Amino acid sequence: EKLRLGNEGVYPPFSMVDSSGNLTGMEPELAREMCKRIGADCEIVVMDFKALIPSMLQGKFDGIVTQISPTPERVEKALFAMPIVYNPATFIVKKDSDYTLTKEGVTGKGLRIALQRGASMVPYIHKHFGKDTFTEVYYDNPDQMKLDLLAGRLDLVFDSKINWTLELIAKPEGKDYKLAGGDHWLGDPAIPEAERGYSWIFPKKSEELVKRVNTALAEMIKDCTYTKIRKKYVPVATLASEAACANVN
Amino acid sequence: MNGLPIDLALAWESLPALFDGLKVTAILTALPLLLGLALAFPICFARMSDRRWLALLAEAFVTFFRGAPLLILLYLVYYGLGQIEALREGPFWILFGSPFGCAIVALSLNHAAYMVEVLRGGLLAVPHGIVEASEALGITRRNIFIWVKMPLAIRYGLKAYQNEVVSFIKGTAIVSVVTITDLTAVANSIFEQTYDPFTPILCAAAFYWAFVNIIRLGFGLWGRWLNRHNAEDVAADAGVPGRGAALRRTSDLGQVTP
Amino acid sequence: MTMHAPAPDAAKEPGRLAITISGLVKHYGSHRALNGIDLEVRRGERIVICGPSGSGKSTLIRCINALERHDGGSIVVNGIELTADEGTVQDIRQEVGMVFQHFNLFPHLTAIENCMLAPQLNRGLTKARAEKLAMHYLERVHLADHARKYPSRLSGGQQQRVAIARALCMEPRILLFDEPTSALDPEMVNEVLGVMEELAASGVTMLCVTHEMGFARRVADRCVFMDHGEIVESRDAASFFQAPESQRLRDFLAQILR
Amino acid sequence: MTMHAPAPDAAKEPGRLAITISGLVKHYGSHRALNGIDLEVRRGERIVICGPSGSGKSTLIRCINALERHDGGSIVVNGIELTADEGTVQDIRQEVGMVFQHFNLFPHLTAIENCMLAPQLNRGLTKARAEKLAMHYLERVHLADHARKYPSRLSGGQQQRVAIARALCMEPRILLFDEPTSALDPEMVNEVLGVMEELAASGVTMLCVTHEMGFARRVADRCVFMDHGEIVESRDAASFFQAPESQRLRDFLAQILR
Amino acid sequence: MTNLSLADLAGYMRQLGEGALITLELFLTSFALAFIFGVLIGIATLSRSRVVQGIWRVYASIFMGVPSLLVIFLTFYGGSAMLGAVLGEFGARIDISPFGAGVIAFTVVYAAYIAELVRGAIENLPKGQFEGARALAIPPAIMWGKVILPQVMRLALPGLVNVWSFMLKETPLVSLAGLQDLVAAAKIAAGATKEPFIFFVATALVFIAFSALSFRLASRLETRLDRGQRREAAGRSSSRAAA
Ligand SMILES: Nc1ncnc2c1ncn2[C@@H]1O[C@H](COP(=O)(O)OP(=O)(O)OP(=O)(O)O)[C@@H](O)[C@H]1O
Ligand SMILES: Nc1ncnc2c1ncn2[C@@H]1O[C@H](COP(=O)(O)OP(=O)(O)OP(=O)(O)O)[C@@H](O)[C@H]1O
Ligand SMILES: [Mg+2]
Ligand SMILES: [Mg+2]
């Protein structure tokens, strides 16, 4: 069995290309392991994030192995496998900012917020903060947000917590910034806490494949392979269900 | 999926957003067209100057801004200049701090580079004999430029100018890299929300098509007016194959560009 | 080696000389286009210049109103010595009108606008006065009816007459013609020659490069034959044709008159 | 109303007729350019056609080798009737060479390549043989030295001679000339007329539209005068000039011979 | 301030090089196809048939009036669906790669431009050239091949150079449809190293160098095609042009 899988390639530490041209990061490694377990011969293709889902919907991929949040529109169009990363969204603000991140706290402040174009953060902000509360600025990728945040063109960013923690807050240039406003789950609020997370997705017709993928992933979490791979790239836990493997190396 | 499923309801719903996008596109067209043109004149004079270093400098400008893809040019101006601490503190930050400012700077530079060549082509196409005749009439250089060379250069270069403007409008479709929500960006975000491969893109295409063709129409009228001296209504005034017409035609050629 | 003999009294009365050329030399790169020309033209004199192609006729004419800079010798026009100085050049060009082989009308201006441009710009005439002046000269070349037409609507002969009127509008004291009829169809030659004859009769100083020997016979006071950048023979029209001295001129006339 | 009188024996011996035209009619839109032309041309005959501008001379010539399709009447060339059929047209064009006013040389090919193109393609000659043939005819027009030059490097007279050589390379039995010298400077007319005289002496059938009356006198067997799409007078060269019958021809000759 | 090792830098630069090759391949393929179709369409549209003229007008106005980016998206995302509509189930399964979408889009768009150029050039050719060939009984196919098109190419060359440079500048757009070209490689390198400027400047330089080089070549070609067209190389014409 041959599978063509799509991946973003520019989302460290989950996905990136090293200097010799190999795709590495947490997602590709997990995907390779998964393929081994379901006995598939996988080719992982790197493509712009924006092009991934439409390409799969047009039948150009058999699945996407980049974390994707289960928004209602997406759930309608694609099958979501079990969550592989719980990477909630959060706000990144300047250390000295004094507003509270509620609708009331930010209204009328004229704050400029960075959002990823086409990402699920956009409808979420609209729903919980209103369309005109912030001045919204759209970016193609988080690197551009970071450059603009450091350049002083932005007041705050609303994006994935883990990435921003690793890429900004933990680094020297992030000394003036902090996370704020708590964790926000962008998916269906009906999903219970424990099952929340971003998943790989597959075409609607591939139910059988998704089952096999889920089985493989569950096994990987259970035998701590998941955690081993995760630790190579991400220092903090990314799933609640990996708690049992906390001490594995 | 069968046929070309255009979702009329979605198209209708998206119209207001697309219109907003079109407004942004129009602004991003109008300002750089003016600024770029203004910038093109001095650079064109430099490019045609007898002073070697000046000409070389102008040529370098043209080579650079014509060669660098707009996508990358915009990126460098917007994100690159933002990294310069001194600039952030300085007065120009009003301009470079905003994506619009950056986009207008980058687009203007790009347009200027192309316009230098359009202008130069038009000026070179002015028959030397006509300039000589003006000199023989004792008209000063400055007046020759204003009353003879420029009016003719505009006529000879009009087609090339139109092409540059049209291609420029279409080129603005990439400003979304610097966070500007223009017509293309609107269509893209609708596409990314709905994953409908036709409706938003075709709608945007229709908007562009209309915009571009209104511009072309305008140029057509302008050209007709400018070239009224060559109009062929008083037909069979035979014998004279209209030197002007012939010259104009050859100078058009080669300029039929995107 | 030149054999021309200026009218004996001319040298004594410089005030009566319109143009004095002496030892004129002009190089194009290493090519010597004019090789020591001496020529004196009296007020009101009508001179026809002829000679084989490449002999330097155009170059000579063009040096006189500084369309080409000369490299040696001197040119004095109406008492003013021609130098590289911009002001002097302008002054001389006001005195000297020129009519080109290819008319070189401004294609974007009507006949009358062609005539009005230089008076308005150089002499600061109001529009109304320039128009009156232009109309006067257009009438003189029998083109009053065509004043509002663009050049492309006029026949070659008419275009050349507009060019003559345009030169006349500067009210120059000297008129230079460079093969004014050789770009015309045979039928149109006559109308232009007719106008030139009328002008000649009115006493303007004229230097005319032409191969229309009929015109030379009828109008010229003096004919000048050039070859290899030199004046080979220069004498009154009658003896020029009937008793050419040099073999070169004899050969040339045999060719032309066939 | 035509007055031409073909040589009396011609009609009886069709084999000796190169071209037979009867009742030829040609319209451009509603304009009747040819209005019932009858003309018979014997083998080896040399005919000069003249007439005022717009009288249909070019149209007549161009109909003969099917550059224009005629609307009525018939044209028979070397016994083949000219129809719309592509094959017949090609056959006739092999028999009929044409020399244009503006030479129409192929600018991207050298003189000899211009001459070689048709023989290689139509007659299947090898390159070497075509080259030999072309060289032969270039020699005949005294251009062997210029064979490797591009047309733009040749003078007008030389270009027209290349055009003649190119037509000759098809070894046609009939040669058509449409004002072959009227685009030439006076000095170059002679060299072309010289070559044409040599050709005439060699017995080719020639139809030549020209206003060079000297040539007509020296070379033509018969002169044809056209006006308003009709043949007004057609007679041997001597009496054509000395005793023109119609007033129209008399007026015309007065103009031309001025 | 950079924490990029030299080896890493070299590695990413090599990837940029590979991307550049893909860009070049895309560009050359598209240009060649657009050229061939453009010339054919250009000749075809000389026909006076109303239908041909109508089709040409619609085609030219659409593809000259719409940004290439949208045409690329439409081909890439809508391509299979469109094929499906035309060819049924079978067509729907034909997958259009980003590269294919780029080639198709650029060919369709730029063939229109090239056709326009070729038309213009043919119409500008003196009528006498056709007549000269016809009077020599040269068959049409050869007339086009040996007489007309060589001259058309000379006349159209400056325009073709323009089309060339426009197309070159638009090739990066295909990266937005997922092609791993030069710009995509730059983005990947930038994403992994967090050093966007090094790689974007390098990319810009590659483009500038290539376009400068192609302008050089074009002006060489121009002089070559002009052989025989201009009077004496030295002398008047050149000094006039400079004036
Ligand atoms: N701009 C120029 N650059 C170089 N050489 C020139 C230029 N103008 C003229 N010449 C050369 O100078 C010589 C004289 O040229 P000129 O035009 O005066 O001749 P002419 O007598 O007017 O000839 P024609 O009868 O052909 O007009 C020629 O050999 C010509 O080639
Ligand atoms: N292609 C054309 N379309 C329309 N009318 C034409 C065309 N060619 C020629 N005519 C007209 O047909 C008439 C005859 O033209 P033709 O060219 O045969 O004249 P001609 O005798 O050769 O004149 P000239 O001496 O000016 O060359 C003219 O009135 C001309 O305007
Ligand atoms: Mg001259
Ligand atoms: Mg004619």
Side-chain angles (χ1 to χ4, degrees):
Chain A
E1 186 188 16
K2 280 201 147 180
L3 291 179
R4 260 170 76 85
L5 301 175
N7 183 264
E8 190 178 357
V10 284
Y11 201 50
F14 296 103
S15 156
M16 61 242 184
V17 178
D18 71 14
S19 63
S20 33
N22 303 315
L23 182 63
T24 64
M26 181 173 147
E27 287 164 356
E29 280 215 34
L30 285 176
R32 289 190 191 107
E33 179 64 24
M34 177 274 289
C35 288
K36 219 191 285 167
R37 295 191 184 207
I38 66 170
D41 182 7
C42 292
E43 180 196 1
I44 303 180
V45 179
V46 174
M47 194 178 269
D48 208 82
F49 180 79
K50 281 184 293 168
L52 282 175
I53 301 178
S55 294
M56 188 188 80
L57 295 180
Q58 295 303 320
K60 293 171 200 288
F61 293 130
D62 302 309
I64 297 176
V65 292
T66 282
Q67 48 184 299
I68 290 177
S69 66
T71 60
E73 304 91 47
R74 289 174 183 162
V75 171
E76 196 182 298
K77 294 227 154 66
L79 286 180
F80 279 69
M82 63 176 291
I84 49 147
V85 176
Y86 182 57
N87 189 1
T90 189
F91 291 94
I92 296 92
V93 298
K94 289 209 188 76
K95 271 214 170 117
D96 54 8
S97 59
D98 50 4
Y99 45 82
T100 52
L101 280 157
T102 57
K103 188 167 181 191
E104 294 68 40
V106 295
T107 307
K109 288 235 157 57
L111 297 174
R112 294 172 58 81
I113 189 171
L115 296 170
Q116 245 198 89
R117 194 191 305 284
S120 43
M121 290 82 182
V122 182
Y124 184 88
I125 288 283
H126 288 171
K127 193 168 159 210
H128 293 91
F129 288 82
K131 273 199 171 176
D132 301 317
T133 314
F134 295 107
T135 307
E136 291 168 6
V137 186
Y138 298 107
Y139 292 84
D140 290 329
N141 67 49
D143 289 339
Q144 296 175 356
M145 293 182 193
K146 184 173 139 193
L147 288 174
D148 254 10
L149 185 68
L150 294 177
R153 291 190 183 111
L154 290 169
D155 296 305
L156 70 167
V157 170
F158 184 57
D159 204 14
S160 306
K161 182 178 171 185
I162 296 176
N163 306 64
W164 281 83
T165 308
L166 299 178
E167 292 296 329
L168 182 70
I169 306 296
K171 289 196 173 170
E173 68 252 39
K175 62 183 190 310
D176 296 333
Y177 297 90
K178 64 177 182 195
L179 303 180
D183 294 353
H184 296 260
W185 164 238
L186 304 177
D188 188 347
I191 299 174
E193 283 275 349
E195 289 166 35
R196 288 178 180 180
Y198 298 161
S199 320
W200 295 341
I201 63 172
F202 297 86
K204 276 274 180 203
K205 61 176 197 297
S206 310
E207 282 186 34
E208 194 267 335
L209 175 64
V210 173
K211 266 189 209 138
R212 284 158 57 209
V213 170
N214 280 346
T215 316
L217 283 175
E219 260 176 38
M220 283 159 64
I221 293 169
K222 209 163 161 210
D223 65 17
C224 291
T225 318
Y226 174 92
T227 307
K228 266 189 215 148
I229 292 175
R230 189 267 292 164
K231 281 195 169 167
K232 272 166 77 180
Y233 299 97
V234 185
V236 296
T238 49
L239 276 182
S241 49
E242 65 167 317
C245 304
N247 300 321
V248 178
N249 274 312
Chain B
M1 235 172 267
N2 271 322
L4 302 183
I6 296 194
D7 184 345
L8 286 179
L10 177 62
W12 180 249
E13 243 171 65
S14 333
L15 273 188
L18 287 169
F19 260 116
D20 287 343
L22 181 63
K23 261 185 258 160
V24 172
T25 296
I27 293 169
L28 282 179
T29 303
L31 285 178
L33 282 186
L34 291 177
L35 295 173
L37 184 63
L39 200 57
F41 273 93
I43 299 172
C44 179
F45 296 148
R47 174 117 167 69
M48 295 173 78
S49 151
D50 288 334
R51 255 167 274 168
R52 189 112 181 85
W53 62 272
L54 207 58
L56 274 178
L57 217 62
E59 202 180 330
F61 173 89
V62 171
T63 311
F64 183 86
F65 287 105
R66 257 170 37 135
L70 214 39
L71 188 69
I72 292 169
L73 194 60
L74 267 173
Y75 190 96
L76 290 177
V77 170
Y78 184 68
Y79 296 107
L81 293 182
Q83 299 312 296
I84 303 170
E85 184 90 30
L87 190 70
R88 284 215 297 272
E89 250 75 282
F92 289 114
W93 192 237
I94 300 174
L95 185 64
F96 293 109
S98 90
F100 269 95
C102 289
I104 283 169
V105 167
L107 290 171
S108 299
L109 290 174
N110 177 266
H111 181 58
Y114 277 87
M115 281 313 291
V116 168
E117 293 302 293
V118 170
L119 213 55
R120 197 170 75 101
L123 287 171
L124 287 179
V126 175
H128 187 66
I130 288 178
V131 178
E132 250 181 10
S134 325
E135 284 174 8
L137 286 168
I139 302 175
T140 57
R141 272 163 183 257
R142 223 182 103 236
N143 277 331
I144 292 177
F145 185 81
I146 297 173
W147 296 98
V148 180
K149 278 174 118 172
M150 261 331 279
L152 289 173
I154 290 173
R155 286 163 171 80
Y156 299 139
L158 191 66
K159 184 91 179 171
Y161 186 31
Q162 174 187 326
N163 288 327
E164 161 56 17
V165 169
V166 165
S167 88
F168 179 81
I169 294 172
K170 296 190 280 166
T172 61
I174 49 125
V175 292
S176 61
V177 282
V178 293
T179 78
I180 297 174
T181 307
D182 73 328
L183 186 48
T184 302
V186 170
N188 262 335
S189 51
I190 298 172
F191 168 56
E192 279 152 17
Q193 277 156 31
T194 61
Y195 301 114
D196 177 337
F198 292 110
T199 311
I201 295 179
L202 282 178
C203 286
F207 274 67
Y208 275 108
W209 183 87
F211 186 34
V212 162
N213 278 286
I214 286 170
I215 301 275
R216 277 166 59 130
L217 228 63
F219 266 100
L221 290 176
W222 186 17
R224 193 108 52 80
W225 181 77
L226 282 179
N227 283 314
R228 62 196 180 283
H229 58 93
N230 282 319
E232 280 164 23
D233 51 5
V234 187
D237 244 18
V240 199
R243 267 160 44 75
L247 282 166
R248 189 163 39 82
R249 247 187 278 129
T250 44
S251 67
D252 272 4
L253 254 192
Q255 315 245 25
V256 186
T257 63
Chain C
M1 249 230 39
T2 59
M3 301 187 208
H4 84 282
D9 54 344
K12 284 167 225 144
E13 293 176 69
R16 296 192 52 201
L17 282 178
I19 306 173
T20 317
I21 297 171
S22 55
L24 187 65
V25 173
K26 167 77 192 169
H27 292 271
Y28 287 116
S30 64
H31 178 71
R32 201 169 243 242
L34 293 180
N35 194 4
I37 299 281
D38 298 294
L39 181 67
E40 284 176 347
V41 183
R42 274 170 302 154
R43 291 258 147 87
E45 204 176 9
R46 286 146 309 188
I47 295 189
V48 159
I49 302 172
C50 61
S53 183
S55 56
K57 308 179 295 294
S58 299
T59 308
L60 172 59
I61 289 271
R62 292 161 57 81
C63 281
I64 294 176
N65 71 346
L67 286 178
E68 309 278 355
R69 293 280 150 82
H70 53 282
D71 305 318
S74 76
I75 301 176
V76 179
V77 177
N78 273 334
I80 313 170
E81 164 137 22
L82 183 55
T83 60
D85 172 60
E86 193 65 34
T88 316
V89 167
Q90 290 300 73
D91 285 350
I92 285 185
R93 282 179 181 160
Q94 307 281 345
E95 303 280 336
V96 181
M98 175 136 182
V99 176
F100 297 84
Q101 180 180 14
H102 290 115
F103 334 143
N104 293 337
L105 293 178
F106 306 129
H108 60 301
L109 302 178
T110 60
I112 195 164
E113 286 165 355
N114 260 281
C115 296
M116 287 158 62
L117 190 65
Q120 272 184 287
L121 294 177
N122 298 345
R123 296 164 51 188
L125 261 55
T126 61
K127 200 172 163 215
R129 291 198 51 201
E131 196 163 332
K132 220 172 130 199
L133 181 81
M135 206 50 169
H136 170 76
Y137 285 106
L138 282 173
E139 266 162 27
R140 190 147 162 202
V141 299
H142 313 297
L143 279 179
D145 294 347
H146 299 282
R148 307 278 162 200
K149 288 192 184 163
Y150 286 100
S152 63
R153 302 271 173 83
L154 298 173
S155 76
Q158 290 166 336
Q159 288 186 48
Q160 190 60 295
R161 283 186 284 151
V162 174
I164 293 173
R166 180 175 71 174
L168 289 175
C169 279
M170 294 300 297
E171 311 203 307
R173 299 209 236 168
I174 300 166
L175 269 179
L176 309 176
F177 294 85
D178 192 357
E179 311 204 26
T181 58
S182 69
L184 297 177
D185 294 343
E187 291 163 78
M188 301 178 173
V189 170
N190 275 337
E191 51 186 58
V192 172
L193 289 182
V195 165
M196 287 171 64
E197 275 183 52
E198 288 170 33
L199 281 180
S202 75
V204 197
T205 311
M206 284 166 71
L207 256 86
C208 179
V209 176
T210 183
H211 289 127
E212 290 290 332
M213 289 303 144
F215 176 77
R217 272 205 202 95
R218 282 206 299 273
V219 169
D221 295 319
R222 193 143 51 102
C223 291
V224 171
F225 175 63
M226 291 184 64
D227 198 6
H228 291 112
E230 289 174 2
I231 292 183
V232 177
E233 212 164 324
S234 157
R235 44 213 319 233
D236 65 292
S239 57
F240 185 84
F241 289 103
Q242 274 137 35
E245 270 181 18
S246 65
Q247 184 59 39
R248 276 197 266 173
L249 176 54
R250 266 195 295 264
D251 293 347
F252 180 74
L253 288 176
Q255 272 275 331
I256 290 284
L257 301 177
R258 203 168 7 112
Chain D
M1 251 234 39
T2 60
M3 301 186 205
H4 84 282
D9 53 345
K12 286 165 223 148
E13 292 176 72
R16 295 191 53 201
L17 283 178
I19 305 173
T20 317
I21 296 171
S22 56
L24 188 65
V25 173
K26 167 76 192 170
H27 291 271
Y28 287 117
S30 65
H31 179 71
R32 201 168 242 243
L34 293 181
N35 193 6
I37 299 281
D38 299 293
L39 182 67
E40 285 178 344
V41 183
R42 274 169 301 156
R43 291 259 147 87
E45 205 176 9
R46 285 145 309 187
I47 295 189
V48 159
I49 303 173
C50 62
S53 182
S55 56
K57 308 178 296 293
S58 299
T59 309
L60 172 59
I61 288 271
R62 290 160 57 82
C63 281
I64 295 176
N65 73 346
L67 285 179
E68 308 279 353
R69 293 280 149 83
H70 54 284
D71 306 317
S74 76
I75 302 174
V76 180
V77 177
N78 273 334
I80 313 171
E81 165 137 20
L82 184 55
T83 61
D85 171 62
E86 196 60 36
T88 316
V89 168
Q90 289 297 78
D91 285 351
I92 285 185
R93 283 179 181 158
Q94 309 271 353
E95 301 280 335
V96 180
M98 175 136 181
V99 177
F100 298 85
Q101 180 181 13
H102 291 114
F103 331 145
N104 293 343
L105 292 177
F106 305 133
H108 59 301
L109 302 179
T110 59
I112 196 164
E113 285 165 357
N114 260 283
C115 295
M116 287 159 61
L117 191 63
Q120 266 184 287
L121 296 175
N122 298 343
R123 298 165 52 188
L125 262 56
T126 60
K127 196 169 167 217
R129 290 200 50 205
E131 197 164 333
K132 221 173 130 198
L133 181 81
M135 207 47 171
H136 172 74
Y137 285 106
L138 282 172
E139 266 162 26
R140 190 147 161 204
V141 299
H142 314 298
L143 279 179
D145 295 346
H146 300 283
R148 305 279 160 201
K149 288 191 183 164
Y150 285 99
S152 62
R153 297 279 162 84
L154 298 173
S155 75
Q158 290 166 334
Q159 288 185 47
Q160 190 61 294
R161 283 186 280 151
V162 173
I164 294 174
R166 184 175 72 172
L168 289 175
C169 281
M170 297 292 299
E171 310 204 308
R173 297 207 239 167
I174 300 167
L175 269 179
L176 308 176
F177 294 85
D178 191 359
E179 311 204 26
T181 58
S182 70
L184 297 179
D185 294 343
E187 292 164 77
M188 300 178 173
V189 172
N190 274 337
E191 50 187 59
V192 172
L193 289 182
V195 164
M196 286 171 64
E197 275 183 52
E198 287 171 31
L199 280 181
S202 75
V204 197
T205 311
M206 282 166 72
L207 256 85
C208 179
V209 176
T210 183
H211 289 125
E212 290 290 333
M213 290 304 143
F215 176 76
R217 276 207 197 90
R218 283 206 298 274
V219 169
D221 294 319
R222 191 142 52 99
C223 292
V224 171
F225 175 62
M226 290 183 66
D227 199 5
H228 291 111
E230 290 174 0
I231 292 183
V232 177
E233 215 166 320
S234 157
R235 45 214 319 230
D236 65 291
S239 58
F240 186 85
F241 289 104
Q242 275 134 36
E245 268 180 19
S246 65
Q247 184 59 39
R248 277 197 268 174
L249 176 53
R250 265 193 298 259
D251 293 348
F252 179 75
L253 289 176
Q255 270 276 331
I256 290 284
L257 302 177
R258 194 159 27 101
Chain E
M1 67 173 252
T2 172
N3 45 15
L4 191 60
S5 80
L6 222 55
D8 278 354
L9 184 67
Y12 285 116
M13 285 299 175
R14 196 179 45 77
Q15 288 181 51
L16 247 59
E18 283 163 12
L21 282 183
I22 291 177
T23 295
L24 192 66
E25 197 182 331
L26 170 79
F27 172 69
L28 291 179
T29 315
S30 311
F31 192 85
L33 287 174
F35 182 78
I36 293 166
F37 282 107
V39 170
L40 294 178
I41 295 172
I43 293 175
T45 56
L46 289 177
S47 146
R48 286 208 200 88
S49 143
R50 284 255 177 90
V51 182
V52 173
Q53 289 298 323
I55 294 175
W56 159 247
R57 285 240 182 85
V58 171
Y59 164 65
S61 119
I62 290 178
F63 288 102
M64 290 177 161
V66 168
S68 306
L69 181 59
L70 295 186
V71 182
I72 293 168
F73 280 164
L74 215 54
T75 344
F76 184 58
Y77 297 125
S80 305
M82 260 188 282
L83 284 176
V86 180
L87 304 175
E89 247 323 281
F90 173 70
R93 254 181 264 133
I94 297 175
D95 182 34
I96 295 180
S97 67
F99 189 88
V103 169
I104 293 172
F106 285 136
T107 302
V108 170
V109 169
Y110 284 97
Y113 289 115
I114 292 175
E116 176 112 315
L117 282 175
V118 168
R119 264 161 65 87
I122 293 173
E123 279 167 3
N124 268 279
L125 216 57
K127 241 179 78 207
Q129 291 297 313
F130 292 89
E131 293 194 340
R134 279 199 276 148
L136 289 170
I138 295 175
I142 289 163
M143 175 180 84
W144 282 103
K146 292 235 161 164
V147 177
I148 304 302
L149 286 182
Q151 298 185 57
V152 164
M153 283 313 131
R154 186 186 141 264
L155 286 178
L157 185 70
L160 286 174
V161 172
N162 270 338
V163 170
W164 172 282
S165 78
F166 270 96
M167 198 158 139
L168 182 65
K169 275 200 327 168
E170 291 208 324
T171 46
L173 297 182
V174 191
S175 72
L176 299 181
L179 182 69
Q180 291 307 300
D181 67 344
L182 176 54
V183 173
K187 277 188 199 162
I188 284 175
T193 62
K194 308 295 170 197
E195 291 288 352
F197 300 109
I198 298 178
F199 297 104
F200 282 103
V201 167
T203 305
L205 289 180
V206 170
F207 273 98
I208 291 166
F210 186 73
S211 74
L213 184 76
S214 47
F215 283 131
R216 273 286 149 72
L217 288 179
S219 68
R220 281 256 182 90
L221 188 63
E222 205 164 336
T223 2
R224 229 186 91 79
L225 284 178
D226 262 7
R227 77 189 188 287
Q229 302 276 354
R230 294 231 169 103
R231 279 211 89 119
E232 304 306 324
R236 292 166 184 226
S237 55
S238 60
S239 69
R240 294 256 152 105

